Amino acid sequence: MTKSSAPPPAATTAWPRLNHGERETLREVLIHGPLPRAEIARRLGVSRASLTRVTRSLLEHGLIIEGATEQRAWTGRPSELFDIAPTARHFFGVKLTGDTIFAAVIDLGAHEVATVEEALTSRDVADVVKRITAIYTELSGAFDDIVAGGVCVAGDLTQDRKLVVDSPFLGWKDVPLARILTDELGIPMATENDVRALTATEHWFGAGAGCSSLALITVGAGIGFGFVIDDRLVAGHHGRAGRLEHLRIDDAGPFCPEGHRGCASVYLTNESIVRSLNGAAADYTEAVELARGGHPAALRAFRDAGTALGTLIATAANGIDPQKIILTGDGLPVWEIAEPEIRAAIDEVLSAGSEPLELDVQPFQFNEWARAAAVLGIRTVLRF
């Protein structure tokens, strides 16, 4: 486990009951702060007097601090800035893969302050819950003010995110994981699809901060899409928004395991790239090295993957016209190796007259998933 040097609070502090105005104000400072009182009032459309009452309450709860000042250009008078008190509370997050548990604790500013990684020796729900509980017990011994948390998994959840309907890497179906963990840990625990959790985190605390619309695409073991429209994370009516991995790329292409001919998943996933090399590479890392070394078959596989990725990027842009598209995941070497093919496919598929895409390629580490799961805890207490 790694921890920040700052000592944890001496006593457990419960999350306070906040009204709507207090939650909205805290969210503004979380995402856009530090901010002066007048700017917060303008953003929320409330009076200065109303905001003064709200900020007084948040100060008393220890959730924000008032310190630095900025000079107002139009009055020449200093304005005090409100900022998050990041160590006021902490949040717990877990990302589950088919073979690993990644866990993290973050502060209220979504800064990672502790991490745990361990092998997942059993995928049985009871065994996984037991391991998560043990990790939480260890971490809560160091951070005794953890007030909420989350778990993210690859797969489908119900629209209310209370039930893991299907998680293929874990072999789970219809698991009420949020309720089980809330009962076990004694704090509110949310569950979410991993890509949507990462999208929400990038929207509030990452490359998408300040964007009212956003698309996030992950490439790696699978292909994932997350969308934000009008500042809201999109789940879809059945909780399955963003299922574009089977978009057809080539009518004459091979079949994917689900029977779709020439779809994106048959070209773009790490496994599909390795499989296309017919034994020349033992795994994705070796496939990447072969392509970097100029191996013809490996280069062809990555260029095909690049065409698929560019098609997906342009399709997302055509569909929701986002302010920004973020690309991430452990399959990012496709960008390095096949950027010309990606951009060519974007140009071919993007609607005529579209504005140039703002495409942000983000380095990826697996602990980002656990941080995103912990941000679910922040969103839970703020009711987002």
Side-chain angles (χ1 to χ4, degrees):
M1 179 177 69
T2 60
K3 295 186 293 185
S4 68
S5 58
T12 300
T13 306
W15 185 259
R17 185 183 296 275
L18 303 179
N19 63 34
H20 177 75
E22 291 164 346
R23 294 195 305 272
E24 288 284 337
T25 299
L26 185 57
R27 176 182 179 271
E28 286 299 314
V29 180
L30 269 174
I31 300 172
H32 304 291
L35 292 172
R37 182 181 283 109
E39 175 62 15
I40 300 172
R42 185 192 67 78
R43 287 172 178 269
L44 297 180
V46 299
S47 68
R48 291 281 302 276
S50 295
L51 190 70
T52 296
R53 290 191 293 272
V54 167
T55 54
R56 183 184 302 120
S57 175
L58 293 176
L59 287 164
E60 290 171 353
H61 289 309
L63 299 176
I64 62 173
I65 54 176
E66 188 176 24
T69 60
E70 68 174 9
Q71 203 75 15
R72 292 183 187 171
W74 61 92
T75 66
R77 294 180 303 200
S79 176
E80 293 176 320
L81 301 178
F82 292 102
D83 201 357
I84 291 299
T87 59
R89 309 292 191 280
H90 288 88
F91 301 83
F92 174 61
V94 172
K95 157 64 175 173
L96 296 173
T97 70
D99 56 16
T100 307
I101 298 176
F102 298 91
V105 173
I106 63 172
D107 63 23
L108 186 55
H111 304 107
E112 189 179 87
V113 295
T115 60
V116 172
E117 177 182 338
E118 68 172 53
L120 187 62
T121 56
S122 168
R123 297 174 186 172
D124 178 78
V125 174
D127 292 339
V128 173
V129 168
K130 183 178 179 180
R131 289 310 312 148
I132 292 174
T133 302
I135 292 170
Y136 174 76
T137 300
E138 175 191 359
L139 291 169
S140 62
F143 300 92
D144 64 356
D145 61 347
I146 298 175
V147 294
V151 178
C152 63
V153 299
D156 294 330
L157 288 85
T158 51
Q159 188 183 34
D160 62 9
R161 277 78 137 192
K162 292 182 179 179
L163 189 72
V164 179
V165 176
D166 179 29
S167 184
F169 294 121
L170 291 165
W172 289 359
K173 290 186 180 297
D174 298 329
V175 177
L177 189 61
R179 177 183 60 77
I180 293 170
L181 287 173
T182 296
D183 292 344
E184 286 290 326
L185 305 187
I187 58 173
M189 290 291 292
T191 48
E192 180 59 282
N193 168 270
D194 52 3
V195 177
R196 282 202 296 270
L198 189 61
T199 303
T201 298
E202 288 294 329
H203 179 220
W204 278 19
F205 300 108
C211 294
S212 62
S213 62
L214 174 72
L216 179 137
I217 303 174
T218 63
V219 292
I223 305 167
F225 287 82
F227 300 120
V228 171
I229 299 176
D230 292 336
D231 270 328
R232 292 289 180 178
L233 183 67
V234 176
H237 183 69
H238 300 98
R240 293 164 61 89
R243 300 295 297 269
L244 295 175
E245 65 268 33
H246 295 291
L247 182 74
R248 182 166 291 188
I249 305 299
D250 183 354
D251 289 340
F255 288 97
C256 79
E258 294 188 16
H260 303 98
R261 179 182 285 278
C263 69
S265 71
V266 85
Y267 298 108
L268 185 51
T269 66
N270 295 356
E271 182 182 355
S272 67
I273 290 172
V274 174
R275 188 168 55 245
S276 72
L277 297 183
N278 297 316
D283 55 27
Y284 184 69
T285 299
E286 191 170 330
V288 171
E289 291 308 312
L290 286 174
R292 287 171 175 163
H295 188 282
L299 282 173
R300 184 167 58 253
F302 275 93
R303 287 167 179 164
D304 288 345
T307 297
L309 179 56
T311 302
L312 290 175
I313 290 170
T315 299
N318 289 340
I320 70 167
D321 188 26
Q323 287 175 252
K324 179 179 286 189
I325 296 178
I326 298 172
L327 177 65
T328 189
D330 58 312
L332 274 186
V334 68
W335 176 266
E336 168 203 338
I337 296 167
E339 183 181 348
E341 287 74 19
I342 295 171
R343 293 197 179 278
I346 291 173
D347 291 343
E348 181 178 346
V349 176
L350 195 64
S351 296
S354 296
E355 296 295 324
L357 294 184
E358 184 174 350
L359 187 60
D360 194 327
V361 181
Q362 287 288 309
F364 177 81
Q365 294 181 327
F366 266 104
N367 64 334
E368 281 297 303
W369 294 113
R371 175 175 175 259
V375 169
L376 289 175
I378 297 177
R379 293 175 67 89
T380 296
V381 296
L382 293 179
R383 302 181 191 173
F384 277 88

